[in-house]
Amino acid sequence: MSDLKQLTMLQLVVVFISSMIGIGIILMPRDLAKTVDSQDLWLSIIFGAIAVSVVSCIYVALAVRYPGLTFFEMTTTIMGKIIGYVFNLLFAAYSLIVAAYILRVTAGIIKNYLLDTTPLYVVVGTFLLVSMYLIYNGAGDIVRFFQLYFPIMLVMFIVLCLLSIKNFDINNVRPVLQNNLLATISGAKITFFSFLGMELLLIFAKLIKKKKTKLLLVTMWTSIGLTALIYVVFHIISIGVLGVEELKEITFPTIEMAKSIEFQGFFFERFELIFIFGWLTTAFTSFTAYMYALTLGLKNMFTPSRWFLPVAGVLIFALTLFPEGLTEVFHYSTYIQLISVAAIVVLPALLLIVSLIRGNTYAT
């Protein structure tokens, strides 16, 4: 079993960034290009980061008022058993849906670019079993895995950016601020959801020292800022290499940008494979974080049992295979965004408001 009792602030930054950077870096360029339709669409990421930073204050306030408690324990403490159970059920359902969405998109990319003849259920099942094995020993092993592969993720991003400079056309990113500012701000409704993962503070809050809760807000904003920086750099390079019009037409622009990298005479030509192998690590960490949240929710809502991890796996497996194709998956994304707003904004906000009205807190 895991022997990790407390998280350092650096570990929290790694957990947050690893959870936030998942499929968003693959899907966001196309959605953002369609919505903003301007070369300065990367500014929408900054506005989205600001909105996320404001929402994160709610999570920090709850973690400070109830140190040592997870979201699923805060709900019953603040709202009572019945309403708290409903809140837990909604958050667990949210974790299930997001985990299934991440896994389905990831499996689709694996089939399209790597294992085109492998049945989808084999790809999904293998990915799921590896995650379950990691989750089995608890949060400690999850955090250590995130720490181990975080540098690999950063190196992969840096390498792709450096290799893409050769195909970068500065004219594709100019002029800046040509678009209507309101249209750019409206793009924040897309970029906001690419920062999903910051709400997991309420899941890992049990491992945070009381005396370190004062640093939580700085930790959250640092994580969001670094994630936003990675997104902005990637989007600027994507625009410079592909252009806005191509971004609107390509399903996975970031992968196509990697495919455009060519070095004559070099022994390895398919550079997109390097990116996909590196990106799969980020998709895996993001998926694992949400599956862990689902498993933790099931344990808190029902009598603790070793069977909750397999149950969570079966639920995710079934929901992942429900859509017939990626087109249907993307069709559901709007509904997933609405569910996300309810789970990561409305529920925590209600908890904080009721907590302030009642004046109850575990902080000393």
Side-chain angles (χ1 to χ4, degrees):
M1 297 297 291
S2 170
D3 59 352
L4 184 66
K5 302 301 180 182
Q6 296 171 341
L7 286 176
T8 65
M9 293 300 104
L10 179 59
Q11 287 175 321
L12 276 175
V13 170
V14 171
V15 168
F16 292 145
I17 296 178
S18 299
S19 301
M20 286 188 280
I21 298 180
I23 60 175
I25 201 167
I26 297 291
L27 301 178
M28 184 167 53
R30 182 192 183 199
D31 295 337
L32 205 52
K34 285 186 173 182
T35 301
V36 181
D37 193 20
S38 173
Q39 55 268 39
D40 54 8
L41 55 83
W42 54 271
L43 290 171
S44 298
I45 298 173
I46 298 176
F47 291 122
I50 293 172
V52 169
S53 298
V54 173
V55 174
S56 69
C57 295
I58 300 175
Y59 310 142
V60 172
L62 286 171
V64 170
R65 291 178 67 85
Y66 301 94
L69 298 185
T70 66
F71 174 87
F72 301 106
E73 295 165 331
M74 294 178 192
T75 52
T76 53
T77 301
I78 299 171
M79 308 297 291
K81 289 186 177 181
I82 297 178
I83 299 179
Y85 184 89
V86 174
F87 275 40
N88 289 345
L89 186 63
L90 292 173
F91 197 88
Y94 157 76
S95 300
L96 168 63
I97 292 170
V98 173
Y101 182 73
I102 293 172
L103 182 54
R104 185 62 180 84
V105 173
T106 302
I109 292 174
I110 292 174
K111 275 191 63 67
N112 285 342
Y113 292 94
L114 299 176
L115 306 173
D116 56 329
T117 60
T118 305
L120 181 65
Y121 66 86
V122 174
V123 177
V124 171
T126 303
F127 206 88
L128 195 55
L129 287 174
V130 175
S131 182
M132 290 171 63
Y133 178 77
L134 179 60
I135 293 173
Y136 179 77
N137 286 327
D141 284 0
I142 296 173
V143 172
R144 293 188 186 97
F145 179 87
F146 286 10
Q147 282 184 287
L148 177 64
Y149 283 94
F150 184 72
I152 298 176
M153 178 190 74
L154 288 182
V155 170
M156 179 269 296
F157 287 152
I158 294 172
V159 169
L160 180 61
C161 290
L162 292 177
L163 293 178
S164 299
I165 292 177
K166 176 184 177 182
N167 302 319
F168 189 87
D169 185 354
I170 190 65
N171 293 319
N172 286 341
V173 299
R174 295 187 302 185
V176 180
L177 297 177
Q178 182 186 30
N179 196 30
N180 187 315
L181 185 60
L182 292 178
T184 304
I185 294 176
S186 69
K189 66 185 179 184
I190 293 176
T191 60
F192 178 89
F193 296 101
S194 291
F195 289 93
L196 289 183
M198 74 281 184
E199 74 279 7
L200 296 177
L201 168 65
L202 300 177
I203 301 300
F204 291 95
K206 200 178 190 71
L207 298 175
I208 301 174
K209 284 184 178 181
K210 288 185 179 181
K211 64 180 182 180
K212 290 189 176 181
T213 53
K214 296 179 180 179
L215 301 175
L216 273 181
L217 191 59
V218 175
T219 303
M220 288 290 288
W221 286 355
T222 300
S223 305
I224 294 169
L226 291 175
T227 303
L229 177 62
I230 293 173
Y231 281 153
V232 167
V233 171
F234 255 81
H235 278 70
I236 291 176
I237 293 178
S238 296
I239 297 168
V241 173
L242 300 174
V244 176
E245 294 304 318
E246 277 198 66
L247 286 181
K248 291 190 290 185
E249 301 299 328
I250 301 173
T251 305
F252 306 119
T254 310
I255 297 178
E256 295 303 318
M257 181 179 71
K259 288 179 69 174
S260 68
I261 299 172
E262 294 182 358
F263 287 93
Q264 294 183 353
F266 194 64
F267 73 96
F268 190 81
E269 295 182 357
R270 296 191 64 186
F271 284 95
E272 77 273 11
L273 295 182
I274 298 177
F275 170 75
I276 292 175
F277 287 136
W279 169 79
L280 281 176
T281 303
T282 68
F284 178 79
T285 55
S286 184
F287 168 76
T288 299
Y290 280 100
M291 187 176 182
Y292 174 71
L294 172 61
T295 305
L296 192 64
L298 293 175
K299 288 182 178 179
N300 277 272
M301 287 189 293
F302 304 100
T303 304
S305 170
R306 62 181 180 177
W307 294 105
F308 282 132
L309 182 57
V311 168
V314 170
L315 290 173
I316 293 174
F317 184 81
L319 189 58
T320 300
L321 295 180
F322 177 75
E324 294 184 1
L326 285 178
T327 302
E328 187 176 349
V329 173
F330 296 149
H331 173 73
Y332 291 130
S333 62
T334 302
Y335 303 104
I336 295 175
Q337 289 177 356
L338 294 176
I339 294 171
S340 299
V341 170
I344 70 175
V345 179
V346 177
L347 294 186
L350 288 175
L351 287 177
L352 182 59
I353 291 171
V354 173
S355 174
L356 292 173
I357 293 175
R358 291 185 174 182
N360 59 343
T361 175
Y362 278 14
T364 57

mmCIF file of all heavy atoms in Angstrom, residues 33 70 82 160 254 298:
data_model
loop_
_atom_site.group_PDB
_atom_site.id
_atom_site.type_symbol
_atom_site.label_atom_id
_atom_site.label_comp_id
_atom_site.label_asym_id
_atom_site.label_seq_id
_atom_site.Cartn_x
_atom_site.Cartn_y
_atom_site.Cartn_z
ATOM 1 N N ALA A 33 -10.026 27.711 -33.023
ATOM 2 C CA ALA A 33 -9.936 28.346 -34.347
ATOM 3 C C ALA A 33 -11.330 28.562 -34.937
ATOM 4 O O ALA A 33 -11.600 29.592 -35.569
ATOM 5 C CB ALA A 33 -9.088 27.495 -35.281
ATOM 6 N N THR A 70 -11.457 15.253 2.032
ATOM 7 C CA THR A 70 -11.656 15.273 0.584
ATOM 8 C C THR A 70 -13.016 15.900 0.281
ATOM 9 O O THR A 70 -13.820 16.142 1.185
ATOM 10 C CB THR A 70 -11.621 13.856 0.001
ATOM 11 O OG1 THR A 70 -12.738 13.109 0.495
ATOM 12 C CG2 THR A 70 -10.326 13.151 0.381
ATOM 13 N N ILE A 82 -27.833 13.438 3.598
ATOM 14 C CA ILE A 82 -28.668 13.233 2.411
ATOM 15 C C ILE A 82 -28.216 14.125 1.258
ATOM 16 O O ILE A 82 -27.913 13.653 0.156
ATOM 17 C CB ILE A 82 -30.155 13.481 2.732
ATOM 18 C CG1 ILE A 82 -30.637 12.479 3.771
ATOM 19 C CG2 ILE A 82 -30.990 13.383 1.457
ATOM 20 C CD1 ILE A 82 -32.079 12.669 4.188
ATOM 21 N N LEU A 160 9.295 19.154 -29.538
ATOM 22 C CA LEU A 160 8.356 19.400 -30.633
ATOM 23 C C LEU A 160 8.343 20.871 -31.029
ATOM 24 O O LEU A 160 8.316 21.206 -32.221
ATOM 25 C CB LEU A 160 6.951 18.952 -30.232
ATOM 26 C CG LEU A 160 5.861 19.166 -31.295
ATOM 27 C CD1 LEU A 160 6.192 18.382 -32.553
ATOM 28 C CD2 LEU A 160 4.493 18.766 -30.763
ATOM 29 N N THR A 254 -2.420 19.397 -33.487
ATOM 30 C CA THR A 254 -1.109 19.257 -32.860
ATOM 31 C C THR A 254 -0.350 18.070 -33.430
ATOM 32 O O THR A 254 0.868 18.137 -33.667
ATOM 33 C CB THR A 254 -1.256 19.095 -31.333
ATOM 34 O OG1 THR A 254 -2.114 20.125 -30.831
ATOM 35 C CG2 THR A 254 0.085 19.202 -30.649
ATOM 36 N N LEU A 298 -16.820 6.369 -4.856
ATOM 37 C CA LEU A 298 -17.574 5.134 -4.597
ATOM 38 C C LEU A 298 -17.289 4.610 -3.187
ATOM 39 O O LEU A 298 -18.193 4.134 -2.492
ATOM 40 C CB LEU A 298 -17.214 4.078 -5.639
ATOM 41 C CG LEU A 298 -17.655 4.359 -7.084
ATOM 42 C CD1 LEU A 298 -17.126 3.289 -8.026
ATOM 43 C CD2 LEU A 298 -19.170 4.463 -7.178
#
